[in-house]
Amino acid sequence: MASRSHGKYRRSRSTASNSQAVKSVSHVYRDVNSQRAAVYSDYESYDIRWSGQEKYEIIRKIGRGKYSEVFEGVDMSTNSLVVIKILKPVKKKKIKREIKILQNLRDGPNIIQLLDCVRDPNSKTPSLIFEHVNNTDYSR
């Protein structure tokens, strides 16, 4: 079986004489879920604690994607910059999964911190509040 190493990943390829499936394994986090309690990865039964959105104000739009629009904003209680990700209508399961993953990865290297989860009281539109990080836009 031929194998090739790509950074932290190792991929095994099948050949004509060997019909094993392609397997990709992270060398850093490959066993993380098996080493933790089931509640660590059980996002379906996770109960989201929603806050009110009153203390956040949108400044300008900074991006968009298939499932959300992203804005630069300010936390009016601390006068600090934040990023506000307003989620488009999706299944609750997807929202729970994203929040649970972000909370599990909190304080990890190169992970943007999820600060708050808020919901509009009338439309029930969910938004995620993240720390603001200065960046360079290389696309321009």
Side-chain angles (χ1 to χ4, degrees), residues 32-44:
V32 70
N33 286 330
S34 65
Q35 296 171 359
R36 306 242 182 183
V39 70
Y40 179 79
S41 58
D42 181 16
Y43 60 87
E44 291 184 28

Side-chain angles (χ1 to χ4, degrees), residues 104-117:
N104 286 343
L105 296 175
R106 182 174 303 210
D107 299 324
N110 302 316
I111 303 295
I112 297 294
Q113 298 300 302
L114 175 64
L115 302 174
D116 202 358
C117 301

Side-chain angles (χ1 to χ4, degrees), residues 25-123:
V25 179
S26 167
H27 293 286
V28 179
Y29 299 112
R30 69 177 167 222
D31 300 323
V32 70
N33 286 330
S34 65
Q35 296 171 359
R36 306 242 182 183
V39 70
Y40 179 79
S41 58
D42 181 16
Y43 60 87
E44 291 184 28
S45 62
Y46 179 67
D47 187 28
I48 301 170
R49 296 181 187 211
W50 297 106
S51 299
Q53 63 180 21
E54 302 79 25
K55 72 177 196 172
Y56 301 104
E57 188 174 299
I58 291 175
I59 298 172
R60 66 183 177 97
K61 186 173 183 176
I62 57 176
R64 66 181 171 86
K66 183 175 181 179
Y67 300 110
S68 65
E69 292 190 10
V70 182
F71 299 86
E72 182 177 62
V74 64
D75 179 338
M76 301 303 285
S77 66
T78 62
N79 206 30
S80 59
L81 287 177
V82 295
V83 172
I84 302 170
K85 181 177 181 181
I86 300 176
L87 303 176
K88 295 178 182 175
V90 295
K91 294 181 180 180
K92 286 183 184 180
K93 188 173 167 179
K94 285 185 180 273
I95 296 169
K96 285 183 171 189
R97 183 176 61 210
E98 180 170 359
I99 292 170
K100 183 71 173 162
I101 289 169
L102 287 166
Q103 289 180 341
N104 286 343
L105 296 175
R106 182 174 303 210
D107 299 324
N110 302 316
I111 303 295
I112 297 294
Q113 298 300 302
L114 175 64
L115 302 174
D116 202 358
C117 301
V118 300
R119 189 165 49 183
D120 181 89
N122 298 322
S123 69

